[in-house]
PDB file of all heavy atoms in Angstrom:
ATOM      1  N   ASP A  90      77.226  79.280-206.220  1.00  0.00           N
ATOM      2  CA  ASP A  90      77.699  80.670-206.320  1.00  0.00           C
ATOM      3  C   ASP A  90      76.593  81.707-206.164  1.00  0.00           C
ATOM      4  O   ASP A  90      76.807  82.768-205.604  1.00  0.00           O
ATOM      5  CB  ASP A  90      78.430  80.916-207.645  1.00  0.00           C
ATOM      6  CG  ASP A  90      79.864  80.426-207.620  1.00  0.00           C
ATOM      7  OD1 ASP A  90      80.360  80.069-206.529  1.00  0.00           O
ATOM      8  OD2 ASP A  90      80.482  80.370-208.700  1.00  0.00           O
ATOM      9  N   ASP A  91      75.406  81.408-206.671  1.00  0.00           N
ATOM     10  CA  ASP A  91      74.295  82.361-206.604  1.00  0.00           C
ATOM     11  C   ASP A  91      73.525  82.279-205.290  1.00  0.00           C
ATOM     12  O   ASP A  91      72.634  83.085-205.049  1.00  0.00           O
ATOM     13  CB  ASP A  91      73.320  82.137-207.770  1.00  0.00           C
ATOM     14  CG  ASP A  91      73.960  82.465-209.105  1.00  0.00           C
ATOM     15  OD1 ASP A  91      74.918  83.268-209.129  1.00  0.00           O
ATOM     16  OD2 ASP A  91      73.516  81.916-210.130  1.00  0.00           O
ATOM     17  N   TRP A  92      73.848  81.313-204.468  1.00  0.00           N
ATOM     18  CA  TRP A  92      73.154  81.165-203.191  1.00  0.00           C
ATOM     19  C   TRP A  92      73.665  82.207-202.202  1.00  0.00           C
ATOM     20  O   TRP A  92      74.860  82.536-202.201  1.00  0.00           O
ATOM     21  CB  TRP A  92      73.400  79.793-202.597  1.00  0.00           C
ATOM     22  CG  TRP A  92      72.831  78.632-203.359  1.00  0.00           C
ATOM     23  CD1 TRP A  92      72.275  78.654-204.606  1.00  0.00           C
ATOM     24  CD2 TRP A  92      72.777  77.285-202.923  1.00  0.00           C
ATOM     25  NE1 TRP A  92      71.874  77.386-204.965  1.00  0.00           N
ATOM     26  CE2 TRP A  92      72.172  76.527-203.951  1.00  0.00           C
ATOM     27  CE3 TRP A  92      73.178  76.633-201.770  1.00  0.00           C
ATOM     28  CZ2 TRP A  92      71.959  75.159-203.849  1.00  0.00           C
ATOM     29  CZ3 TRP A  92      72.966  75.265-201.665  1.00  0.00           C
ATOM     30  CH2 TRP A  92      72.358  74.545-202.689  1.00  0.00           C
ATOM     31  N   PRO A  93      72.811  82.723-201.344  1.00  0.00           N
ATOM     32  CA  PRO A  93      73.301  83.621-200.289  1.00  0.00           C
ATOM     33  C   PRO A  93      74.335  82.893-199.430  1.00  0.00           C
ATOM     34  O   PRO A  93      74.146  81.729-199.064  1.00  0.00           O
ATOM     35  CB  PRO A  93      72.046  83.935-199.470  1.00  0.00           C
ATOM     36  CG  PRO A  93      70.903  83.673-200.397  1.00  0.00           C
ATOM     37  CD  PRO A  93      71.350  82.554-201.292  1.00  0.00           C
ATOM     38  N   LYS A  94      75.436  83.539-199.138  1.00  0.00           N
ATOM     39  CA  LYS A  94      76.524  82.900-198.381  1.00  0.00           C
ATOM     40  C   LYS A  94      76.063  82.438-196.997  1.00  0.00           C
ATOM     41  O   LYS A  94      76.595  81.476-196.457  1.00  0.00           O
ATOM     42  CB  LYS A  94      77.726  83.840-198.253  1.00  0.00           C
ATOM     43  CG  LYS A  94      78.336  84.221-199.585  1.00  0.00           C
ATOM     44  CD  LYS A  94      78.772  83.006-200.390  1.00  0.00           C
ATOM     45  CE  LYS A  94      79.225  83.391-201.777  1.00  0.00           C
ATOM     46  NZ  LYS A  94      78.931  82.391-202.771  1.00  0.00           N
ATOM     47  N   CYS A  95      75.067  83.096-196.428  1.00  0.00           N
ATOM     48  CA  CYS A  95      74.581  82.699-195.105  1.00  0.00           C
ATOM     49  C   CYS A  95      73.984  81.297-195.119  1.00  0.00           C
ATOM     50  O   CYS A  95      73.958  80.619-194.091  1.00  0.00           O
ATOM     51  CB  CYS A  95      73.584  83.708-194.555  1.00  0.00           C
ATOM     52  SG  CYS A  95      72.048  83.820-195.498  1.00  0.00           S
ATOM     53  N   TRP A  96      73.517  80.829-196.285  1.00  0.00           N
ATOM     54  CA  TRP A  96      72.963  79.477-196.369  1.00  0.00           C
ATOM     55  C   TRP A  96      74.009  78.436-195.976  1.00  0.00           C
ATOM     56  O   TRP A  96      73.688  77.430-195.367  1.00  0.00           O
ATOM     57  CB  TRP A  96      72.495  79.162-197.781  1.00  0.00           C
ATOM     58  CG  TRP A  96      71.216  79.805-198.192  1.00  0.00           C
ATOM     59  CD1 TRP A  96      70.500  80.751-197.516  1.00  0.00           C
ATOM     60  CD2 TRP A  96      70.494  79.547-199.390  1.00  0.00           C
ATOM     61  NE1 TRP A  96      69.388  81.111-198.229  1.00  0.00           N
ATOM     62  CE2 TRP A  96      69.362  80.385-199.380  1.00  0.00           C
ATOM     63  CE3 TRP A  96      70.706  78.704-200.470  1.00  0.00           C
ATOM     64  CZ2 TRP A  96      68.429  80.390-200.414  1.00  0.00           C
ATOM     65  CZ3 TRP A  96      69.786  78.706-201.497  1.00  0.00           C
ATOM     66  CH2 TRP A  96      68.658  79.546-201.467  1.00  0.00           C
ATOM     67  N   LEU A  97      75.257  78.679-196.369  1.00  0.00           N
ATOM     68  CA  LEU A  97      76.300  77.695-196.134  1.00  0.00           C
ATOM     69  C   LEU A  97      76.661  77.578-194.656  1.00  0.00           C
ATOM     70  O   LEU A  97      77.317  76.625-194.256  1.00  0.00           O
ATOM     71  CB  LEU A  97      77.533  78.036-196.970  1.00  0.00           C
ATOM     72  CG  LEU A  97      77.262  78.165-198.474  1.00  0.00           C
ATOM     73  CD1 LEU A  97      78.530  78.540-199.213  1.00  0.00           C
ATOM     74  CD2 LEU A  97      76.657  76.896-199.041  1.00  0.00           C
ATOM     75  N   GLN A  98      76.236  78.536-193.855  1.00  0.00           N
ATOM     76  CA  GLN A  98      76.480  78.509-192.418  1.00  0.00           C
ATOM     77  C   GLN A  98      75.301  77.913-191.650  1.00  0.00           C
ATOM     78  O   GLN A  98      75.392  77.679-190.460  1.00  0.00           O
ATOM     79  CB  GLN A  98      76.752  79.928-191.892  1.00  0.00           C
ATOM     80  CG  GLN A  98      77.825  80.681-192.643  1.00  0.00           C
ATOM     81  CD  GLN A  98      79.141  79.916-192.707  1.00  0.00           C
ATOM     82  OE1 GLN A  98      79.573  79.351-191.723  1.00  0.00           O
ATOM     83  NE2 GLN A  98      79.758  79.894-193.885  1.00  0.00           N
ATOM     84  N   LYS A  99      74.191  77.696-192.332  1.00  0.00           N
ATOM     85  CA  LYS A  99      72.972  77.212-191.673  1.00  0.00           C
ATOM     86  C   LYS A  99      72.921  75.691-191.652  1.00  0.00           C
ATOM     87  O   LYS A  99      73.562  75.018-192.444  1.00  0.00           O
ATOM     88  CB  LYS A  99      71.728  77.737-192.396  1.00  0.00           C
ATOM     89  CG  LYS A  99      71.519  79.224-192.242  1.00  0.00           C
ATOM     90  CD  LYS A  99      70.217  79.631-192.902  1.00  0.00           C
ATOM     91  CE  LYS A  99      69.939  81.091-192.738  1.00  0.00           C
ATOM     92  NZ  LYS A  99      69.369  81.432-191.462  1.00  0.00           N
ATOM     93  N   ASP A 100      72.113  75.177-190.743  1.00  0.00           N
ATOM     94  CA  ASP A 100      71.824  73.753-190.734  1.00  0.00           C
ATOM     95  C   ASP A 100      70.860  73.485-191.887  1.00  0.00           C
ATOM     96  O   ASP A 100      69.969  74.303-192.170  1.00  0.00           O
ATOM     97  CB  ASP A 100      71.182  73.360-189.398  1.00  0.00           C
ATOM     98  CG  ASP A 100      71.026  71.867-189.291  1.00  0.00           C
ATOM     99  OD1 ASP A 100      72.005  71.212-188.877  1.00  0.00           O
ATOM    100  OD2 ASP A 100      69.944  71.355-189.623  1.00  0.00           O
ATOM    101  N   ILE A 101      71.030  72.371-192.523  1.00  0.00           N
ATOM    102  CA  ILE A 101      70.193  72.056-193.682  1.00  0.00           C
ATOM    103  C   ILE A 101      68.709  72.020-193.318  1.00  0.00           C
ATOM    104  O   ILE A 101      67.860  72.333-194.136  1.00  0.00           O
ATOM    105  CB  ILE A 101      70.662  70.749-194.355  1.00  0.00           C
ATOM    106  CG1 ILE A 101      70.096  70.665-195.766  1.00  0.00           C
ATOM    107  CG2 ILE A 101      70.364  69.540-193.490  1.00  0.00           C
ATOM    108  CD1 ILE A 101      70.773  69.653-196.644  1.00  0.00           C
ATOM    109  N   SER A 102      68.393  71.699-192.073  1.00  0.00           N
ATOM    110  CA  SER A 102      66.979  71.665-191.662  1.00  0.00           C
ATOM    111  C   SER A 102      66.335  73.047-191.700  1.00  0.00           C
ATOM    112  O   SER A 102      65.120  73.166-191.782  1.00  0.00           O
ATOM    113  CB  SER A 102      66.825  71.043-190.273  1.00  0.00           C
ATOM    114  OG  SER A 102      67.501  71.809-189.310  1.00  0.00           O
ATOM    115  N   ASP A 103      67.153  74.113-191.668  1.00  0.00           N
ATOM    116  CA  ASP A 103      66.631  75.477-191.775  1.00  0.00           C
ATOM    117  C   ASP A 103      66.390  75.883-193.234  1.00  0.00           C
ATOM    118  O   ASP A 103      65.778  76.916-193.498  1.00  0.00           O
ATOM    119  CB  ASP A 103      67.603  76.479-191.151  1.00  0.00           C
ATOM    120  CG  ASP A 103      67.771  76.276-189.668  1.00  0.00           C
ATOM    121  OD1 ASP A 103      66.789  75.870-189.010  1.00  0.00           O
ATOM    122  OD2 ASP A 103      68.888  76.507-189.159  1.00  0.00           O
ATOM    123  N   LEU A 104      66.887  75.093-194.171  1.00  0.00           N
ATOM    124  CA  LEU A 104      66.838  75.468-195.583  1.00  0.00           C
ATOM    125  C   LEU A 104      65.880  74.645-196.438  1.00  0.00           C
ATOM    126  O   LEU A 104      65.418  75.129-197.471  1.00  0.00           O
ATOM    127  CB  LEU A 104      68.239  75.338-196.192  1.00  0.00           C
ATOM    128  CG  LEU A 104      69.321  76.235-195.594  1.00  0.00           C
ATOM    129  CD1 LEU A 104      70.690  75.821-196.113  1.00  0.00           C
ATOM    130  CD2 LEU A 104      69.043  77.686-195.908  1.00  0.00           C
ATOM    131  N   VAL A 105      65.577  73.427-196.033  1.00  0.00           N
ATOM    132  CA  VAL A 105      64.898  72.498-196.946  1.00  0.00           C
ATOM    133  C   VAL A 105      63.530  72.944-197.437  1.00  0.00           C
ATOM    134  O   VAL A 105      63.106  72.528-198.508  1.00  0.00           O
ATOM    135  CB  VAL A 105      64.802  71.067-196.374  1.00  0.00           C
ATOM    136  CG1 VAL A 105      66.160  70.446-196.255  1.00  0.00           C
ATOM    137  CG2 VAL A 105      64.038  71.044-195.090  1.00  0.00           C
ATOM    138  N   PHE A 106      62.832  73.776-196.679  1.00  0.00           N
ATOM    139  CA  PHE A 106      61.500  74.193-197.122  1.00  0.00           C
ATOM    140  C   PHE A 106      61.508  75.574-197.767  1.00  0.00           C
ATOM    141  O   PHE A 106      60.465  76.137-198.064  1.00  0.00           O
ATOM    142  CB  PHE A 106      60.507  74.125-195.962  1.00  0.00           C
ATOM    143  CG  PHE A 106      60.372  72.723-195.443  1.00  0.00           C
ATOM    144  CD1 PHE A 106      60.850  72.380-194.207  1.00  0.00           C
ATOM    145  CD2 PHE A 106      59.812  71.737-196.237  1.00  0.00           C
ATOM    146  CE1 PHE A 106      60.760  71.082-193.742  1.00  0.00           C
ATOM    147  CE2 PHE A 106      59.716  70.431-195.788  1.00  0.00           C
ATOM    148  CZ  PHE A 106      60.191  70.107-194.536  1.00  0.00           C
TER     149      PHE A 106
END
Side-chain angles (χ1 to χ4, degrees):
D90 280 350
D91 294 335
W92 294 9
K94 298 303 173 213
C95 65
W96 285 8
L97 304 178
Q98 308 305 316
K99 291 184 178 279
D100 187 85
I101 198 164
S102 62
D103 296 327
L104 298 170
V105 293
F106 298 111

